[in-house]
Amino acid sequence: MRLADLRGRSVAVWGTGREGRAAVTAIARHQPSRLIAVDDSANYLSVEWTGELAGLAPLAGGEHAFAALASADVVVRSPGVPSTHPFMVELRERGITVTGGSALWMAEHAAKTVGVTGSKGKSTTSSLISHLLAAVGRPNAYGGNIGVPLLDMPEAELYVLELSSYQCADLTHSPRVAVVTSLFPEHLDAHGGEREYYRDKLNILRHGPELIVVNGTDRRLRDEIRGVTDAGRFPPVPAAAADSRFRVEDGQVWCSDEPLFPRDALRLKGRHNEGNLCVALAVLDGMGVDVEAERAVVEAAVRSFPGLPHRLAEIEDPSGLTFVDDTLSTSPYAAMHAIEAYENRPLTVLVGGNDRGLDYSPLRDFLADRELTVIGLPDSGPRILEALARLPRVRTEPAEDLADAVRLARKITPAGGVVLLSPAAPSYGRFRNFEHRSEVFAQAVRDTAEAEA
């Protein structure tokens, strides 16, 4: 379904955040017979819905929310509306078309889009692809799950997008280049289970991409896409694996049998970021960039890539300790990648946040032979510490809050060590958002440093 297909039809836009507002504005240009916005949250009366938006689409909420959705020919849901929402089941049983703003946009722009998804690494990889393409003379517009709704994207010759599982779920057109960086259980409550999450995430591959690039070191991902092919019936291009065209070995980034540049050209720590780089290089290669001939330009671009905030971002401290903000680590698998990046230094890890009932046994198994300290934060921290309690070389300590955890970590982390905030849980509940959690962490680092001075 395209935006033009909404002409003369009754449309309900479900959600009043950035995505919903972008959808209302875009859909109104195509003259639907009726356009209404729907907010089913408990505080819908506090939603500011005035001026042009109210003129384009009146707002329905509360007891009128479902009736407004059910009376539409097409429902355009925002990414924040989970697949498990009770209304979703009823709408589909009634035969009402449910789509999303990302799917409407992709139907018109897929042929000039690189779409990147993954349980971990999609932000870094998509931004790196965009950065490298621009460096080799392929200007592009970058957006998606980074906070720019697709329906607000400017017109461009080439797009590079970060796509969440929620955005991928509704796609009926795959981007020309479809990229998957990793796959592990995430957002299960919103998708209905592990199988459903994989189905929705990998929907990006199911509608004829011209090229598929994946991280070849991810065994679960390889298993889940077995038999998947692109529009030319070629299998996905694997990157980063030992037999991949692009890989990191012996401190070098390789293209087949040719060393391209030193691994330390990439400022980002961790083997997972080596994989992200290899995926990005494989995308350029698949898009016709002669990476070997352009190696000097590519290396310079890699060296200038600063990484993204809140992802293994180091905070200077006069004590000699290294404090690391990895607040976007919201799963045990993400925390495992972060821990691995600092495995050769004394390490204290701060874990815990909103408790979604995740299984922390993979983290326990990963830490079985490692020596480190783990400090547990509310709300899921105590449950994580309980899972790790019997590991012989893991010291566990509870903390009342993030500030208390930083104070404790500063006391018990050996000189030259690392204090890593990699919560393996979301921020919401005790923080406004992940940025707020980062702010509280950084302030606690400053406050405890001043107290020691």
Side-chain angles (χ1 to χ4, degrees), residues 17 23 42 116 145 183 187 308 312 315 363 366 382 385 447:
V116 183
N145 192 49
L183 194 66
H187 309 299
L308 302 177
L312 295 183
I315 301 172
L363 179 62
F366 175 76
L385 297 188
D447 290 346

Short mmCIF file of all heavy atoms in Angstrom, two decimals, residues 17 23 42 116 145 183 187 308 312 315 363 366 382 385 447:
data_model
loop_
_atom_site.label_atom_id
_atom_site.label_comp_id
_atom_site.label_asym_id
_atom_site.label_seq_id
_atom_site.Cartn_x
_atom_site.Cartn_y
_atom_site.Cartn_z
N GLY A 17 2.44 10.69 18.75
CA GLY A 17 3.82 11.15 18.89
C GLY A 17 4.37 11.65 17.56
O GLY A 17 3.61 12.00 16.65
N ALA A 23 2.55 11.11 10.10
CA ALA A 23 1.60 10.37 9.28
C ALA A 23 0.38 11.22 8.93
O ALA A 23 -0.08 11.22 7.78
CB ALA A 23 1.18 9.09 9.99
N ALA A 42 -4.09 6.37 28.58
CA ALA A 42 -4.92 6.86 29.68
C ALA A 42 -4.90 8.38 29.79
O ALA A 42 -5.85 8.99 30.29
CB ALA A 42 -4.45 6.24 31.00
N VAL A 116 18.76 -0.83 7.50
CA VAL A 116 19.58 -1.59 8.44
C VAL A 116 18.77 -1.88 9.70
O VAL A 116 18.22 -0.97 10.32
CB VAL A 116 20.84 -0.79 8.84
CG1 VAL A 116 21.72 -1.62 9.77
CG2 VAL A 116 21.62 -0.35 7.61
N ASN A 145 14.82 5.13 12.66
CA ASN A 145 14.60 4.89 14.09
C ASN A 145 15.43 5.81 14.99
O ASN A 145 15.33 5.74 16.20
CB ASN A 145 14.93 3.42 14.41
CG ASN A 145 14.46 3.01 15.79
OD1 ASN A 145 13.32 3.25 16.17
ND2 ASN A 145 15.35 2.39 16.55
N LEU A 183 20.96 -10.87 15.77
CA LEU A 183 19.62 -11.35 16.12
C LEU A 183 19.67 -12.08 17.46
O LEU A 183 20.39 -13.06 17.62
CB LEU A 183 19.11 -12.30 15.03
CG LEU A 183 17.62 -12.63 15.07
CD1 LEU A 183 16.78 -11.40 14.77
CD2 LEU A 183 17.29 -13.74 14.09
N HIS A 187 12.39 -7.26 22.98
CA HIS A 187 11.03 -6.72 22.83
C HIS A 187 9.97 -7.82 22.70
O HIS A 187 9.00 -7.69 21.94
CB HIS A 187 10.96 -5.80 21.61
CG HIS A 187 12.02 -4.75 21.55
ND1 HIS A 187 12.15 -3.79 22.53
CD2 HIS A 187 13.02 -4.51 20.66
CE1 HIS A 187 13.17 -3.00 22.23
NE2 HIS A 187 13.73 -3.43 21.11
N LEU A 308 28.61 6.81 18.30
CA LEU A 308 27.36 7.43 18.70
C LEU A 308 27.31 7.60 20.21
O LEU A 308 27.91 6.82 20.95
CB LEU A 308 26.18 6.58 18.22
CG LEU A 308 26.12 6.35 16.71
CD1 LEU A 308 24.97 5.43 16.37
CD2 LEU A 308 25.97 7.66 15.96
N LEU A 312 29.13 2.67 24.60
CA LEU A 312 30.53 2.54 25.01
C LEU A 312 31.25 3.89 24.98
O LEU A 312 32.39 4.00 24.52
CB LEU A 312 31.26 1.51 24.15
CG LEU A 312 30.78 0.05 24.26
CD1 LEU A 312 31.65 -0.85 23.41
CD2 LEU A 312 30.81 -0.43 25.71
N ILE A 315 34.06 8.26 29.74
CA ILE A 315 34.03 9.52 30.48
C ILE A 315 35.37 9.65 31.22
O ILE A 315 35.74 8.78 32.00
CB ILE A 315 32.87 9.55 31.50
CG1 ILE A 315 31.52 9.36 30.78
CG2 ILE A 315 32.87 10.84 32.31
CD1 ILE A 315 30.35 9.18 31.72
N LEU A 363 23.67 -14.43 30.11
CA LEU A 363 24.68 -13.61 30.76
C LEU A 363 25.44 -14.42 31.80
O LEU A 363 26.67 -14.32 31.90
CB LEU A 363 24.03 -12.38 31.39
CG LEU A 363 24.96 -11.42 32.12
CD1 LEU A 363 25.99 -10.83 31.17
CD2 LEU A 363 24.15 -10.30 32.79
N PHE A 366 27.86 -16.65 30.04
CA PHE A 366 28.95 -15.85 29.47
C PHE A 366 29.98 -15.48 30.53
O PHE A 366 31.19 -15.42 30.24
CB PHE A 366 28.36 -14.59 28.84
CG PHE A 366 29.37 -13.62 28.30
CD1 PHE A 366 30.02 -13.86 27.10
CD2 PHE A 366 29.66 -12.45 28.99
CE1 PHE A 366 30.95 -12.96 26.60
CE2 PHE A 366 30.59 -11.54 28.50
CZ PHE A 366 31.23 -11.80 27.30
N PRO A 382 18.35 -7.04 41.32
CA PRO A 382 18.38 -8.18 42.24
C PRO A 382 18.19 -9.52 41.55
O PRO A 382 18.82 -10.52 41.92
CB PRO A 382 17.24 -7.86 43.20
CG PRO A 382 17.13 -6.37 43.18
CD PRO A 382 17.44 -5.98 41.77
N LEU A 385 21.47 -10.37 39.84
CA LEU A 385 22.46 -10.80 40.82
C LEU A 385 22.17 -12.21 41.31
O LEU A 385 23.10 -13.01 41.52
CB LEU A 385 22.49 -9.83 42.00
CG LEU A 385 22.91 -8.39 41.71
CD1 LEU A 385 23.07 -7.61 43.01
CD2 LEU A 385 24.19 -8.33 40.89
N ASP A 447 30.08 13.98 40.62
CA ASP A 447 29.87 14.23 42.04
C ASP A 447 30.82 13.40 42.90
O ASP A 447 31.39 13.90 43.88
CB ASP A 447 28.42 13.91 42.42
CG ASP A 447 27.43 14.91 41.85
OD1 ASP A 447 27.86 15.98 41.39
OD2 ASP A 447 26.21 14.60 41.85
#
